[in-house]
Amino acid sequence: MSTLEARRAAKESLLQVDGVTKGFAADAPLALAETSFTVAAHEIVALVGTSGCGKSTLLRMIAGLDAPSAGEIRLGGHRVAGPDPEIGMVFQEPRLMPWLTVRENLRLALPGQGRQAQDERIAATLRQVGLADFGEALPRALSGGMAQRVAIARALVRSPRLLLLDEPFSALDSFTRAKLQRHLLELWQEANFTMVLVTHDLEEALALADRGLILRGQPGRLYGQLPVDLPHPRRRSSPVFQELKEELARALDLEAD
């Protein structure tokens, strides 16, 4: 048993995806078919695959934004039947309210809490993401990387058990993307949340994830997985990292049956 496998075996299973299928109309092809996997607590899993194989559809179902046509998704043993405060979501674009300050954008994620409790939680989260001095800034005053950090803060401000990310850095330049990848790992190492991310970037998947789950075909199905048993931070130029990248690329290039 590898170090990674031993670590996963020692942890509780947090997320269970069991036989999930998704179709959007009775006469339309399925988007995703009979997909099953589990994710351990504090694990990072990357969903990788070519366009149209159902990665984002799967992530939206895990988030409770869409319902499976068949199968079931459970978080901590409880069925996901809609948006859940224990699940945070970061999209490809920050999706901030342009007329609200950074602080007020985060406040939207904390309904039902008293204002003092909200302010304390917001201040702590902005410190986490390195934006303590930008609480009163409007989104138009932020760089792309800063806006995406606000989006991450908005997802983390409720202290979710599971953080979902749908290609969160794909619109950023390579330097900013690498910087935010490192920062996200630091947040994950400091806190006790689990991550599932969708990405087309093989290096991003291998730099962040404990496992890559490979989706293929139309409808998408789980084709296989690639454990990434490397310590953080990972040196992308290392021979082992490059071998894993080639293995992942080969799996994605295979013709669908």
Side-chain angles (χ1 to χ4, degrees):
M1 181 181 291
S2 71
T3 303
L4 175 60
E5 290 170 333
R7 196 164 76 239
R8 289 191 70 242
K11 295 177 181 177
E12 63 177 287
S13 175
L14 176 68
L15 175 69
Q16 300 89 36
V17 176
D18 187 10
V20 166
T21 293
K22 180 63 176 178
F24 290 99
D27 57 349
L30 293 174
L32 193 74
E34 299 174 354
T35 297
S36 300
F37 60 89
T38 62
V39 180
H42 206 229
E43 186 180 17
I44 305 176
V45 168
L47 303 176
V48 294
T50 55
S51 296
C53 68
K55 303 183 300 300
S56 293
T57 297
L58 175 57
L59 206 69
R60 288 181 60 84
M61 287 190 288
I62 295 172
L65 300 176
D66 284 329
S69 302
E72 189 174 67
I73 297 170
R74 297 182 298 278
L75 181 71
H78 300 286
R79 180 172 170 267
V80 175
D84 190 315
E86 292 195 321
I87 302 174
M89 180 99 177
V90 180
F91 297 92
Q92 184 173 344
E93 307 86 15
R95 300 190 180 185
L96 304 177
M97 301 297 102
W99 58 88
L100 296 179
T101 65
V102 166
R103 188 183 313 281
E104 297 309 309
N105 267 281
L106 267 63
R107 197 182 304 279
L108 293 175
L110 296 170
Q113 296 188 20
R115 193 169 185 87
Q116 182 177 349
Q118 289 177 339
D119 286 341
E120 290 173 358
R121 186 63 200 154
I122 290 167
T125 306
L126 288 177
R127 285 194 298 271
Q128 277 185 297
V129 300
L131 293 175
D133 296 331
F134 291 87
E136 300 308 315
L138 290 170
R140 65 172 178 266
L142 305 176
S143 68
M146 291 170 69
Q148 199 64 336
R149 274 193 280 165
V150 175
I152 292 170
R154 184 180 55 197
L156 293 179
V157 73
R158 294 187 301 185
S159 300
R161 297 174 72 186
L162 176 64
L163 181 65
L164 306 176
L165 305 105
D166 191 0
E167 298 193 72
F169 310 132
S170 62
L172 303 174
D173 64 84
S174 59
F175 175 79
T176 303
R177 184 163 60 245
K179 184 177 180 180
L180 286 183
Q181 288 166 359
R182 291 192 299 270
H183 187 60
L184 183 62
L185 274 176
E186 290 169 1
L187 293 172
W188 171 80
Q189 288 166 338
E190 292 169 2
N192 193 33
F193 59 85
T194 301
M195 285 199 292
V196 177
L197 73 146
V198 165
T199 181
H200 282 95
D201 186 332
L202 302 190
E203 284 203 0
E204 180 169 81
L206 295 171
L208 294 176
D210 298 311
R211 283 186 296 150
L213 298 183
I214 301 160
L215 296 174
R216 276 184 38 195
Q218 292 178 333
R221 298 176 188 271
L222 183 61
Y223 172 73
Q225 63 177 323
L226 179 66
V228 188
D229 198 0
L230 298 173
H232 292 294
R234 294 170 180 166
R235 189 162 60 89
R236 303 183 191 207
S237 60
S238 72
V240 175
F241 190 98
Q242 291 301 315
E243 288 171 7
L244 287 169
K245 184 178 177 181
E246 291 173 6
E247 185 175 348
L248 188 54
R250 284 195 298 271
L252 292 170
D253 284 342
L254 289 173
E255 292 292 328
D257 296 332

